[in-house]
């Protein structure tokens, strides 16, 4: 599932006329980059939640056939449901097996290797070393388990593999994933892996420009 419903306030004016997921990095939209990566990893079925200007996403991506994918949509036009609420609403579309959830407003060359989840693990997070603009991150990692340590050297990348049961007990509505992840870390229900490759959160124009320059330096178009 690609989370693509957000308004992208910090990226205005770019997001005044386009959804955040269609913001381009060196001529390639964030969403297109994700779809190409998922297809290359052998993933076939993709759910995209849509909200702000979501009709432009549907128009651009359609059925997903041009990417070798089968894309369906989980619309949130009446009210945005945030990350947790958006995934919970889409659960009937996601099946009974573990599934990936990816924030559409990141750029990352993580290869989407399906993790072997231990029986007592409800989700595995991809973590990255804290970027320079963060003094403290989201989590620590101890023997492969994600924890809420006093020192948190890792930032949640926005990529995770969830068992459907992670959302057991949730009710329909607007809520975020962050509090759920923190509780699950306290309870030892999260595993994690640190990724040192390309990752960027392009939540502001400054970060978007920095990523564009970085990719130009290495001769990449961002795909």
């Amino acid at each position: 599932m690609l989370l693509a419903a957000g308004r992208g306030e910090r990226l205005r004016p770019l997001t005044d006329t386009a959804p955040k997921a269609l913001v381009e990095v060196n001529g390639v939209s964030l969403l297109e980059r994700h779809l190409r990566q998922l297809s290359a990893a052998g993933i076939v079925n993709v759910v995209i939640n849509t909200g702000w200007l979501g009709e432009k996403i549907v128009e651009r991506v359609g059925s997903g056939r041009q990417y070798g994918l089968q894309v369906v949509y989980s619309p949130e036009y009446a009210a945005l449901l945030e990350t947790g609420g958006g995934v919970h609403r889409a659960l009937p579309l996601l099946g009974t097996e573990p599934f990936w959830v990816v924030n559409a407003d990141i750029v990352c060359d993580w290869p989407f290797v399906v993790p072997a989840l231990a029986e007592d693990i409800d989700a595995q997070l991809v973590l990255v070393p804290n970027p320079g603009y963060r003094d403290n991150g989201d989590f620590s990692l101890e023997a492969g388990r994600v924890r809420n340590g006093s020192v948190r050297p890792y930032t949640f990348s926005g990529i995770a593999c969830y068992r459907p049961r992670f959302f057991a007990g949730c009710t329909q509505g607007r809520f975020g994933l962050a509090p759920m992840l923190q509780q699950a870390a306290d309870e030892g229900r999260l595993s994690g892996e640190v990724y040192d490759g390309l990752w960027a959160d392009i939540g502001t124009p400054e970060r978007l420009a920095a990523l564009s320059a970085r990719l130009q330096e290495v001769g990449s178009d961002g795909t």
Side-chain angles (χ1 to χ4, degrees), residues 72-195:
V72 296
Y73 299 91
S74 180
E76 299 175 19
Y77 297 128
L80 298 183
L81 299 175
E82 295 192 26
T83 51
V87 177
H88 181 258
R89 179 173 181 174
L91 284 177
L93 302 172
L94 292 166
T96 59
E97 298 299 317
F99 54 85
W100 292 105
V101 175
V102 183
N103 292 355
D105 60 351
I106 63 168
V107 168
C108 184
D109 56 8
W110 167 250
F112 290 98
V113 178
V114 178
L117 299 177
E119 185 57 37
D120 61 339
I121 290 296
D122 288 348
Q124 174 149 319
L125 310 189
V126 178
L127 306 174
V128 296
N130 290 338
Y133 53 82
R134 297 197 70 179
D135 293 331
N136 206 6
D138 300 312
F139 298 106
S140 59
L141 191 63
E142 302 172 9
R145 298 289 173 120
V146 176
R147 302 294 186 185
N148 296 307
S150 57
V151 177
R152 300 186 297 276
Y154 303 115
T155 290
F156 175 41
S157 68
I159 301 173
C161 185
Y162 297 91
R163 294 186 191 273
R165 73 187 188 201
F166 180 84
F167 298 91
C170 295
T171 56
Q172 192 79 7
R174 178 185 175 99
F175 59 92
L177 274 172
M180 297 177 64
L181 292 173
Q182 290 164 357
Q183 179 178 346
D186 281 338
E187 296 171 354
R189 295 187 287 113
L190 298 182
S191 58
E193 179 177 342
V194 177
Y195 184 60

Side-chain angles (χ1 to χ4, degrees), residues 26 109 198 211-223:
N26 297 355
D109 56 8
L198 173 67
L211 175 63
S212 177
R214 178 181 175 186
L215 293 175
Q216 287 176 348
E217 286 178 2
V218 299
S220 172
D221 65 356
T223 60

